[in-house]
Amino acid sequence: MLNYTIISGSIRQNRNSHRVSLHLMERINSEPNSKAQLIDLAEANLPVMTDLWDKHPQHTEAYTKLADTLKNSDAFIWVSPEYNGSYTAALKNFIDHFPKQAFYRKPVGVVSVSTGALGGIRGAMNMQELALAVQAYALPQMLLVPQVTAKFDSAGAVTDETFSKQLNLFVTELTWLSDALKNKVDSNQ
Ligand SMILES: Cc1cc2nc3c(=O)[nH]c(=O)nc-3n(C[C@H](O)[C@H](O)[C@H](O)COP(=O)(O)O)c2cc1C
């Protein structure tokens, strides 16, 4: 069983990108041998990071639970809107709260979301760099979601079937990498 954790990176009121996180959670859960859970950064509501995990004076129960969830994950999907050419401050703040070990040698698929036409490629590329910084393996195939409100409804259902091809490719490639890393398969298949 592959345990995926989707990190939903927008904490903005009336956010649009969360619908993509909801969709991916349902989608991954429908795959054989895959289980997905979601960390909603709006719910996690972590303060601005003031010290490293190891030095933090007191870990609250909620903070420890989040750390355990990361530790027990085999693979991640980071979903963020593009804000001013990058991912959200909330996502960076969240990642900075935890030891790199939580992500070490694990795959991260990045998903950038925008209401604009381009889908936030700069946000996606910056997320891939962040994944490398925490010693994770960034999946080369990023998922870019332009004009998000025309592609997903607020519950996460796809409303534009032409987008299914990109979604399928992303999930297929992430599943392959996650499976390969978990089982250390050396194969070209
Ligand atoms: C602070 C801010 C900066 C933004 N910068 C970009 C940007 O660089 N590129 C882009 O395509 N859209 C940008 N947008 C528009 C977002 O794509 C749009 O607001 C989207 O709904 C944001 O996701 P969210 O609703 O989940 O917060 C920006 C929006 C905000 C609030």
Side-chain angles (χ1 to χ4, degrees):
M1 178 65 76
L2 284 168
N3 284 314
Y4 290 84
T5 294
I6 297 163
I7 301 180
S8 195
S10 174
I11 59 172
R12 197 177 68 81
Q13 286 177 21
N14 303 318
R15 60 200 170 160
N16 294 310
S17 55
H18 192 61
R19 52 185 77 190
V20 185
S21 305
L22 294 174
H23 176 82
L24 287 167
M25 183 167 69
E26 201 177 309
R27 172 66 199 265
I28 300 279
N29 277 325
S30 73
E31 298 283 312
N33 301 319
S34 297
K35 200 166 135 281
Q37 61 191 320
L38 194 124
I39 295 178
D40 178 353
L41 297 195
E43 267 175 33
N45 196 23
L46 290 180
V48 172
M49 197 275 295
T50 53
D51 213 338
L52 297 172
W53 169 268
D54 296 343
K55 295 186 181 152
H56 207 279
Q58 202 176 13
H59 296 158
T60 61
E61 201 182 315
Y63 189 11
T64 305
K65 200 168 158 231
L66 287 168
D68 287 342
T69 300
L70 299 181
K71 198 171 133 201
N72 296 328
S73 302
D74 300 311
F76 296 96
I77 299 178
W78 293 353
V79 181
S80 175
E82 185 177 79
Y83 282 177
N84 298 323
S86 192
Y87 51 81
T88 61
L91 177 63
K92 183 65 162 60
N93 183 52
F94 180 83
I95 302 295
D96 289 348
H97 266 83
F98 300 95
K100 279 188 186 32
Q101 191 62 34
F103 302 100
Y104 177 63
R105 289 184 175 170
K106 294 179 185 175
V108 176
V110 303
V111 181
S112 188
V113 180
S114 159
T115 47
L118 300 179
I121 192 164
R122 291 176 298 173
M125 291 180 81
N126 284 319
M127 274 190 274
Q128 289 183 327
E129 279 192 6
L130 178 60
L132 298 179
V134 293
Q135 299 179 8
Y137 293 110
L139 182 75
Q141 292 85 359
M142 53 183 65
L143 179 65
L144 302 179
V145 188
Q147 289 160 338
V148 59
T149 50
K151 293 187 171 56
F152 296 89
D153 69 19
S154 58
V158 174
T159 54
D160 175 1
E161 281 307 323
T162 62
F163 196 63
S164 297
K165 195 174 158 201
Q166 285 98 308
L167 278 166
N168 291 343
L169 178 73
F170 177 76
V171 172
T172 302
E173 294 299 328
L174 183 61
T175 306
W176 184 90
L177 182 62
S178 305
D179 197 45
L181 287 175
K182 183 154 188 187
N183 299 305
K184 291 195 246 172
V185 173
D186 186 13
S187 154
N188 292 323
Q189 299 304 305

